[in-house]
Amino acid sequence: MKPSEEERRQIERISSDLLRRVGEVAGAKGVACRGILVGSAARNTWLSGDRDIDIFLAVPEDGDLGVALEIAREIAPAHEERYAEHAYVHAVIDGFEVDLVPCYDVRDPARIKSAVDRTPFHSLYVSERIKGREDDVLLLKQFMKGVGVYGSDLKTGGFSGYLAELLVIHYGSFLRVLEGASSWRPGIRIDIAKGADISAPLVVIDPVDPNRNVAAALTLDRMSQFVAAARCFLKSPDISFFFPPESHTMRPDEIRAEIERRGTEFILLEIIAPDMVDDVLYPQMRKAEASIKNLLEREGFQLLRSDVDLLRGGDVRARLLFELSIWELPSARRHTGPPVWEAEHASRFVRSNPSPLSGPYIENGRLVVEITRKYRRAVDLLRGEIDRISLGRHLSSGERRILSTREMLEQMDGDLAGFLTAYLNKRVTVC
């Protein structure tokens, strides 16, 4: 959990070299640009094994971020360019994941020109207040990681490192954070700073930006998961909260047996997705998941649960999994029409259903017919209607395939086995 001296020396060496290179390249180009080490590496609050270094390249407020991007490219020739609010450089240097991020060197956080401009102020705020509590931050981060709530990316919807640091500053220690969290309720507001009236499961006003909730990415489910784990730990402390037993991927025969034991049917939708960052693709996947759930339930099928997964390596594949407790329906279905007294609508309804199985007849003043269902099986419904579903801008045009339970099990690879294992074994700590 706590970085070794060797890890500390490595990160200090790489960070110092990068900062020095920023100054050298900027000087050679005759431009104003200074490097700033930010994030947990700058505050000694990074966990052992975390190999992330964030260097911001700050240009004057009236400067050009393109200049900083050129410097980043030169510092890390073997890199890929990524995009958040604007382009930045990502590289792997001596085994460390390095982000070189252009920003404006603003002197007042109220005058930021891009979202990343506030990050150096975050570093300054925490650095001035975290001294002597670094180990408490490490404990809290490892606890959050162990119980599955660490990470403010849109896939996780959990706690950011900055939020963990602010909680330790506010409550005073790791244990006091857990004690405080054990009584949290949705909508709780922690007044680290006075700010805007914001509605969210947890509100922690950014002391650098009073209009921003540091916990904006935290979902109600992840907050609740943390609350439950905090209560359990305080009741019965155990190292497994920090380092849970390593889970193994189930064998195909184990997965098959578990699915048979559940007595449900699965549908797997797999879409070839564009190579974009997770925080772009995951909202699209969740949107597609919601659209498909609405379609299935609207047509009378009953969904037990669903989940999404993103597989990288070669093609980027978005996987959407649906588990149904009712997946096949009878041929006949009811179709309720307008009230009889709406003459024009009633006539149109009768004309549009010229050969019903039964009807039209009247129930509670409305016309009813019984007609033949177009799709009896949920998998056939999805296959037949997938082109009419809103899958999101980045997934709509991708090549796709739709698999039934049998087809999914027959074509299962190691990555799918891992996804299904996590799905079938889903559980959180509650006591």
Side-chain angles (χ1 to χ4, degrees), residues 36 38 43 104-112 116-129 162 206-209:
I36 309 170
V38 299
R43 307 189 283 270
Y104 290 104
D105 198 0
V106 298
R107 299 302 176 185
D108 181 350
R111 295 168 53 190
I112 63 171
V116 297
D117 297 347
R118 67 168 68 92
T119 302
F121 293 98
H122 290 165
S123 259
L124 183 62
Y125 180 90
V126 173
S127 296
E128 290 174 344
R129 293 163 177 81
Y162 178 50
D206 191 340
V208 165
D209 183 350

Side-chain angles (χ1 to χ4, degrees), residues 135-196:
D135 287 353
D136 288 281
V137 173
L138 294 178
L139 284 168
L140 181 58
K141 286 184 176 182
Q142 188 64 52
F143 181 86
M144 289 175 168
K145 193 173 183 178
V147 301
V149 301
Y150 188 62
S152 60
D153 55 283
L154 294 179
K155 174 185 178 180
T156 306
F159 293 77
S160 68
Y162 178 50
L163 177 55
E165 291 165 338
L166 291 180
L167 290 174
V168 169
I169 290 171
H170 176 72
Y171 283 104
S173 71
F174 163 67
L175 281 177
R176 287 176 185 166
V177 171
L178 298 195
E179 288 166 357
S182 65
S183 62
W184 285 356
R185 298 289 185 274
I188 183 169
R189 185 182 179 99
I190 296 175
D191 286 322
I192 289 177
K194 300 294 182 182

Side-chain angles (χ1 to χ4, degrees), residues 124-395:
L124 183 62
Y125 180 90
V126 173
S127 296
E128 290 174 344
R129 293 163 177 81
I130 207 66
K131 296 294 184 185
R133 298 175 182 169
E134 291 90 347
D135 287 353
D136 288 281
V137 173
L138 294 178
L139 284 168
L140 181 58
K141 286 184 176 182
Q142 188 64 52
F143 181 86
M144 289 175 168
K145 193 173 183 178
V147 301
V149 301
Y150 188 62
S152 60
D153 55 283
L154 294 179
K155 174 185 178 180
T156 306
F159 293 77
S160 68
Y162 178 50
L163 177 55
E165 291 165 338
L166 291 180
L167 290 174
V168 169
I169 290 171
H170 176 72
Y171 283 104
S173 71
F174 163 67
L175 281 177
R176 287 176 185 166
V177 171
L178 298 195
E179 288 166 357
S182 65
S183 62
W184 285 356
R185 298 289 185 274
I188 183 169
R189 185 182 179 99
I190 296 175
D191 286 322
I192 289 177
K194 300 294 182 182
D197 185 14
I198 297 171
S199 177
L202 172 65
V203 177
V204 179
I205 297 298
D206 191 340
V208 165
D209 183 350
N211 294 311
R212 177 177 177 266
N213 178 18
V214 180
L218 180 67
T219 66
L220 177 60
D221 287 350
R222 287 291 180 260
M223 180 184 125
S224 302
Q225 193 173 330
F226 179 63
V227 169
R231 288 177 184 164
C232 291
F233 180 83
L234 292 172
K235 183 177 180 181
S236 182
D238 192 272
I239 193 68
S240 64
F241 286 89
F242 300 91
F243 302 100
E246 188 173 343
S247 60
H248 79 283
T249 298
M250 298 166 69
R251 300 190 309 271
D253 61 305
E254 292 176 314
I255 292 173
R256 183 184 298 274
E258 179 61 23
I259 289 176
E260 289 176 355
R261 188 169 75 92
R262 294 168 78 88
T264 56
E265 178 74 9
F266 286 80
I267 300 174
L268 177 69
L269 168 61
E270 187 173 272
I271 306 172
I272 301 299
D275 188 6
M276 306 181 77
V277 296
D278 286 9
D279 275 5
V280 170
L281 291 178
Y282 266 93
Q284 298 288 305
M285 291 160 64
R286 290 299 184 190
K287 179 179 180 180
E289 178 190 22
S291 296
I292 293 169
K293 286 168 64 174
N294 288 338
L295 171 68
L296 292 168
E297 291 172 347
R298 189 169 63 245
E299 293 299 318
F301 300 100
Q302 188 168 309
L303 202 70
L304 181 66
R305 186 155 55 97
S306 62
D307 204 356
V308 303
D309 183 45
L310 191 63
L311 175 64
R312 293 188 181 275
D315 288 332
V316 179
R317 285 179 279 171
R319 283 173 165 166
L320 289 77
L321 184 70
F322 302 89
E323 184 181 10
L324 296 110
S325 52
I326 297 177
W327 61 92
E328 188 167 353
L329 296 168
S331 292
R333 75 175 182 91
R334 286 168 56 94
H335 182 30
T336 302
V340 173
W341 50 85
E342 294 182 0
E344 184 178 340
H345 292 157
S347 295
R348 189 181 303 124
F349 178 75
V350 172
R351 288 196 304 270
S352 65
N353 295 281
S355 304
L357 296 171
S358 297
Y361 54 85
I362 297 171
E363 276 191 5
N364 299 317
R366 304 183 79 97
L367 289 170
V368 179
V369 292
E370 292 162 4
I371 59 176
T372 301
R373 188 182 301 277
K374 185 176 181 181
Y375 302 103
R376 290 190 57 194
R377 300 194 311 153
V379 69
D380 294 333
L381 169 67
L382 187 54
R383 285 170 175 161
E385 302 296 321
I386 187 70
D387 289 332
R388 298 180 180 87
I389 299 172
S390 174
L391 297 177
R393 182 161 59 94
H394 300 298
L395 300 180

